[in-house]
Amino acid sequence: MSAITSAIRQSIRTSIRSSFGITVDERPALITSLFSAGEQGAFYIPRPVVNGVQSLFQDAAGTTAVTADGDPVGLMLDQSGNGNHATQSVSAKRLIYRTDGTLHWLENSGTGQFFETAAIDFTGTNKMTVVAGLKKESDDSTGIFVELSPISDTTNGSFCLFAPSSNGSNSYRIFSRGTVLSAPQHGVFATAPDTAVISLIADIAAPILTLRRNSSVIQTSTGSQGSGNYGNNPVYIGARAGANLFFEGGTHSLVIRGAKTSAGDLDRLEQYTAIITGITL
Amino acid sequence: MKTEYIQRATTATPLAHIPDANQLALCLGESSADDKTFTSASYQDADGNLYSVASTVAKSVFAEMAGQPLQAPDHAPDMDLAAATRAQALLQINGGIASPDVIAVILGDRKESAQDHINALGLTRVEQDSV
């Protein structure tokens, strides 16, 4: 890493750290940078109040605020400006808001909890960026952290981030599909429990599918993803279509952006995600 | 501020009792969608009997409500009270491992893990598709 790059990173890190937990911080600028050109997607930060606005609610309708460690969450507002809020209307399938006073996350026990969104229209893009701050608690069973469409294996225009896949044979795994599924094997590189920033970078047309962990490239695949754009489908967080492959662990943040993200913005986003996930890159 | 959800309740519903158990969940729960609490039977006991498991935080009134005559809640006035009452009669709270004749519940502190509760119920996850 060059001295200049290092200095920029440190500057960003200091800026974010100095304002972490305060209303004036890096986050609004980051959201503006990522979504102000009309990019489709979502930016989830599981804190009760974000930028002065109540953002977690106990019920899907948004009538009862989440205020304390241990409250269940039925609605998590999208901070991107796209209105792609994540909901869960079944009481027992809500994730649990947790905090230690510094960090904030949603706890998923792997027994049926998940969020879903209304269909998000990604039909205008064949490029995707997903950055997640998470803690994977177990490698015993395949878990889906986030998936576009009910099943990315067979649904055109979809993606998926597993944590883990193949019951731990892949520590993490990513899928992207235009009309052809790209599903590389990544192997074991981060056994549970693992707290990390995991990124999926995909381009159907190029084709490129890159898995990053803590800003380092784990693997880039250039296998065909077929053609076309991403679809107009719900996003599921924590399960496959709400039915199985339940993720077990914590969700510290999740950003989904239907666009190619510049190296600088990706670095800022991963740095920001690392800080609110409680790790240092 | 402290949460009202001070307990974790993990419930193992035998496959045959899922419809009734969902009516009980609707009655004791907080949402009109709670009849979808128990879906796939993805856990099994040592004999291979299948169960649907739900584990979540609960308010302190949960155990009390579970032991009282049921009433249809405001969020589901037309629920099947007879089905919920049948499920209620099968409830076994902190009574040991799951079995096909009971709806077994482990009720503990909110910070207890779901996996510990599932172990206490004597259940393991059914092998699922390995993606």
Side-chain angles (χ1 to χ4, degrees):
Chain A
M1 186 187 312
S2 73
I4 293 173
T5 303
S6 178
I8 292 171
R9 278 193 164 187
Q10 187 57 45
S11 171
I12 293 167
R13 189 175 297 134
T14 301
S15 168
I16 296 170
R17 282 195 192 287
S18 65
S19 56
F20 180 48
I22 305 173
T23 53
V24 180
D25 64 8
E26 172 75 3
R27 185 167 49 234
L30 192 54
I31 292 171
T32 298
S33 181
L34 294 173
F35 292 101
S36 63
E39 296 89 343
Q40 186 54 276
F43 198 128
Y44 300 113
I45 303 167
R47 301 179 61 148
V49 177
V50 178
N51 294 335
V53 176
Q54 183 69 38
S55 296
L56 295 182
F57 296 87
Q58 295 185 26
D59 57 318
T63 56
T64 304
V66 168
T67 59
D69 175 66
D71 283 350
V73 182
L75 169 63
M76 176 167 59
L77 295 187
D78 168 24
Q79 306 296 326
S80 76
N82 285 304
N84 293 318
H85 309 312
T87 62
Q88 177 52 261
S89 57
V90 179
S91 299
K93 297 186 177 184
R94 294 175 293 182
L95 279 73
I96 310 301
Y97 167 67
R98 299 300 312 275
T99 181
D100 59 9
T102 302
L103 300 175
H104 307 259
W105 67 97
L106 298 181
E107 179 182 274
N108 192 328
S109 67
T111 57
Q113 295 73 39
F114 71 99
F115 279 122
E116 61 185 315
T117 70
I120 301 179
D121 188 358
F122 286 111
T123 57
T125 183
N126 57 15
K127 299 173 179 59
M128 190 63 62
T129 304
V130 178
V131 177
L134 59 85
K135 181 178 184 183
K136 176 184 66 165
E137 289 283 5
S138 172
D139 283 326
D140 291 343
S141 299
T142 299
I144 286 181
F145 186 78
V146 60
E147 183 167 38
L148 171 63
S149 85
I151 178 165
S152 56
D153 307 44
T154 55
T155 305
N156 288 345
S158 57
F159 69 79
C160 188
L161 165 58
F162 297 87
S165 98
S166 302
N167 302 335
S169 295
N170 292 289
S171 295
Y172 297 91
R173 192 179 188 189
I174 52 175
F175 285 3
S176 180
R177 179 185 177 98
T179 52
V180 174
L181 178 65
S182 177
Q185 304 278 348
H186 305 299
V188 176
F189 55 92
T191 56
D194 181 54
T195 303
V197 176
I198 304 295
S199 303
L200 173 161
I201 315 295
D203 185 328
I204 293 171
I208 290 172
L209 180 58
T210 297
L211 173 65
R212 292 161 62 100
R213 176 178 177 274
N214 295 342
S215 293
S216 296
V217 173
I218 300 299
Q219 187 176 343
T220 293
S221 170
T222 56
S224 175
Q225 299 173 39
S227 60
N229 289 347
Y230 289 96
N232 182 14
N233 279 300
V235 165
Y236 295 90
I237 303 169
R240 168 154 284 173
N244 57 7
L245 305 183
F246 296 106
F247 170 68
E248 182 180 353
T251 300
H252 290 261
S253 76
L254 173 61
V255 176
I256 304 166
R257 180 172 186 260
K260 181 177 182 178
T261 300
S262 70
D265 277 350
L266 181 61
D267 188 58
R268 292 169 65 205
L269 178 55
E270 289 179 334
Q271 291 287 347
Y272 173 79
T273 301
I275 290 166
I276 64 173
T277 306
I279 59 176
T280 301
L281 299 185
Chain B
M1 193 163 296
K2 290 190 174 181
T3 184
E4 295 180 79
Y5 295 83
I6 62 172
Q7 296 178 310
R8 172 169 289 279
T10 303
T11 305
T13 298
L15 182 61
H17 299 298
I18 285 176
D20 286 356
N22 273 325
Q23 289 302 308
L24 182 60
L26 183 59
C27 185
L28 299 179
E30 302 175 347
S31 163
S32 59
D34 284 346
D35 59 347
K36 300 176 186 66
T37 296
F38 299 101
T39 50
S40 59
S42 52
Y43 288 83
Q44 62 185 351
D45 62 19
D47 296 324
N49 299 302
L50 294 174
Y51 301 83
S52 179
V53 170
S55 183
T56 188
V57 290
K59 295 179 179 177
S60 59
V61 296
F62 171 79
E64 182 184 340
M65 290 172 61
Q68 292 179 346
L70 300 175
Q71 291 183 323
D74 291 344
H75 62 255
D78 299 324
M79 59 158 293
D80 186 343
L81 207 53
T85 303
R86 286 195 300 270
Q88 183 186 33
L90 299 178
L91 282 178
Q92 171 189 280
I93 298 178
N94 290 338
I97 64 173
S99 75
D101 301 327
V102 300
I103 296 174
V105 181
I106 301 293
L107 193 60
D109 183 81
R110 71 180 178 94
K111 293 190 175 177
E112 293 178 6
S113 83
Q115 193 55 55
D116 286 347
H117 282 195
I118 291 167
N119 292 342
L121 289 164
L123 300 178
T124 56
R125 197 192 302 259
V126 177
E127 200 64 34
Q128 55 186 357
D129 291 342
S130 186
V131 182

